[in-house]
Amino acid sequence: MKKIGVLTSGGDAPGMNAAIRAVVRKAIYHDIEVYGIQHGYQGLIDGAIEKLELGSVGDIIQRGGTKLYSARCEEFKTAEGQQKGIDQLQKNGIEGLIVIGGDGTFMGAKKLTEQGYPCIGVPGTIDNDIPGTDFTIGFDTALNTIIDAIDKIRDTATSHERTYVIEVMGRDAGDLALWAGLADGAESILIPEVKDDFDDVIDRLKRGHDRGKKHSIIILAEGMGSGFEFSKKIKEATDLETRVTVLGHTQRGGSPSAADRVLASRLGAYAVDLLIAGKAGRMVGIEKNELVDHDILEILNAKHSVDLGLYRLSKELSI
Ligand code: F6P
């Protein structure tokens, strides 16, 4: 293999730049040319492709976002869109592709692999919702951003003796809410993986209030619905003064944590190793701190599961 491509697709995540850097440096170390494809699969269709050198990825390991830009591309879901992408790969002599993103990104990689283009997926999303890896690139940084915000909200919640509902991202997964809630000692955590917990939230609030507790923090995963709707229900059930904070896209930005930089460097380099070894249609990941790779199709068919042991622990520690 003499020429490979790299792209980022879907929602950006802190650490994607570190992964791009690792792909480029590791490939060049092995005398392989690397081409950066901008704006994900849209850029592949449009031919937004440029050669990356060692210096192209200097000074980016510490930056959030993605140097290659990202997009969600509807056209690439069609056979015509995929053919346009393949035409561009052929035109540029690109023999293998590394795609960094979430499950939508891996679906594109699966299609290309089926049509003879070896692709390797690298899990990059703040949601941590990809099976086959304990952690995705960006999760740790987003978690720390959330913790920082909750700590600040806690100050004002205490001063005004209020109940706060904090809505966090995660799409259909509860990982960000669960880890943030546990790390910040939230009174209640609501995640889509554990339904019908509203009565428990109300019981806890009432018990806390009766014990003289002055404020409460409730972390709501966005997959459970709107924080504003939820806070209305709490107010109706308890009459406690309640406020809502939707953390939104602040969770996706910022300089990647050390853990995300290291994870991205390991996964990006490992993806290059797999292409060199002639592998295709694999996703790299980390399990029990060991590098692993899985069939992308298996990953797409598998269901991510949240750590329910952590959920039970959070309940025990916030009695
Ligand atoms: O997948 C990452 C993520 O930030 C999710 O947590 C969120 O639901 C979604 O992307 C938001 O997407 P967009 O940036 O397109 O609004």
Side-chain angles (χ1 to χ4, degrees):
M1 190 155 295
K2 283 284 147 218
K3 277 189 185 185
I4 65 169
V6 58
L7 62 78
T8 49
S9 158
D12 63 344
M16 279 184 163
N17 277 326
I20 296 166
R21 172 183 178 272
V23 168
V24 172
R25 295 270 167 100
K26 180 79 182 219
I28 293 177
Y29 176 84
H30 287 290
D31 287 326
I32 296 170
E33 288 180 12
V34 189
Y35 288 78
I37 298 155
Q38 296 188 340
H39 305 285
Y41 291 110
Q42 190 58 55
L44 182 58
I45 289 173
D46 298 340
I49 300 172
E50 61 172 22
K51 189 169 177 207
L52 298 174
E53 309 287 356
L54 287 178
S56 316
V57 290
D59 198 29
I60 65 167
I61 195 168
Q62 78 283 20
R63 295 190 197 284
T66 159
K67 175 192 163 63
L68 292 175
Y69 306 99
S70 195
R72 304 187 203 272
C73 176
E74 286 304 313
E75 192 181 354
F76 202 73
K77 291 180 182 158
T78 67
E80 298 77 46
Q82 289 153 23
Q83 190 52 53
K84 285 186 196 167
I86 289 171
D87 293 345
Q88 289 292 348
L89 288 168
Q90 276 171 344
K91 191 169 132 197
N92 287 278
I94 295 170
E95 300 157 272
L97 194 58
I98 292 175
V99 300
I100 306 165
D103 49 7
T105 309
F106 298 153
M107 183 54 84
K110 175 189 157 271
K111 295 280 182 201
L112 288 176
T113 302
E114 280 168 1
Q115 298 184 51
Y117 272 94
C119 292
I120 305 292
V122 177
T125 163
I126 63 165
D127 300 335
N128 206 42
D129 60 349
I130 309 290
T133 187
D134 291 343
F135 297 106
T136 57
I137 296 166
F139 174 67
D140 183 68
T141 308
L143 194 53
N144 280 289
T145 302
I146 295 170
I147 297 306
D148 189 45
I150 301 175
D151 287 348
K152 289 180 171 130
I153 290 167
R154 198 179 270 285
D155 289 344
T156 175
T158 315
S159 305
H160 287 268
E161 303 185 11
R162 285 172 175 157
T163 297
Y164 262 86
V165 175
I166 302 172
E167 183 190 311
V168 304
M169 279 187 169
R171 220 161 31 142
D172 302 321
D175 291 54
L176 279 174
L178 175 57
W179 284 64
L182 182 59
D184 226 300
E187 276 66 30
S188 289
I189 303 169
L190 285 117
I191 56 174
E193 292 85 350
V194 184
K195 297 258 191 253
D196 302 319
D197 223 6
F198 185 68
D199 291 346
D200 185 56
V201 173
I202 299 303
D203 281 353
R204 279 165 185 270
L205 280 175
K206 285 185 175 158
R207 276 204 314 266
H209 190 252
D210 293 347
R211 286 205 313 265
K213 211 170 191 326
K214 299 292 186 205
H215 71 264
S216 290
I217 300 284
I218 297 167
I219 309 293
L220 180 77
E222 65 173 348
M224 286 295 284
S226 149
F228 289 97
E229 291 300 317
F230 197 74
S231 111
K232 229 191 277 168
K233 281 168 63 184
I234 289 177
K235 174 92 179 112
E236 278 161 18
T238 64
D239 209 30
L240 291 171
E241 192 178 1
T242 307
R243 290 287 187 277
V244 184
T245 301
V246 179
L247 293 180
H249 286 81
T250 53
Q251 296 162 94
R252 285 237 298 261
S255 180
S257 65
D260 272 329
R261 296 181 201 192
V262 171
L263 178 65
S265 300
R266 292 177 76 188
L267 294 182
Y270 187 47
V272 174
D273 283 340
L274 292 188
L275 277 183
I276 292 172
K279 301 269 180 73
R282 311 287 297 171
M283 184 200 81
V284 296
I286 190 135
E287 287 174 335
K288 298 189 171 66
N289 205 25
E290 295 284 335
L291 290 168
V292 294
D293 56 282
H294 297 281
D295 189 321
I296 273 190
L297 186 60
E298 270 170 32
I299 296 299
L300 287 169
N301 289 333
K303 199 171 149 29
H304 165 72
S305 53
V306 80
D307 186 341
L308 291 174
L310 287 186
Y311 182 78
R312 285 189 292 273
L313 179 62
S314 76
K315 290 252 180 202
E316 287 164 9
L317 300 186
S318 62
I319 38 170

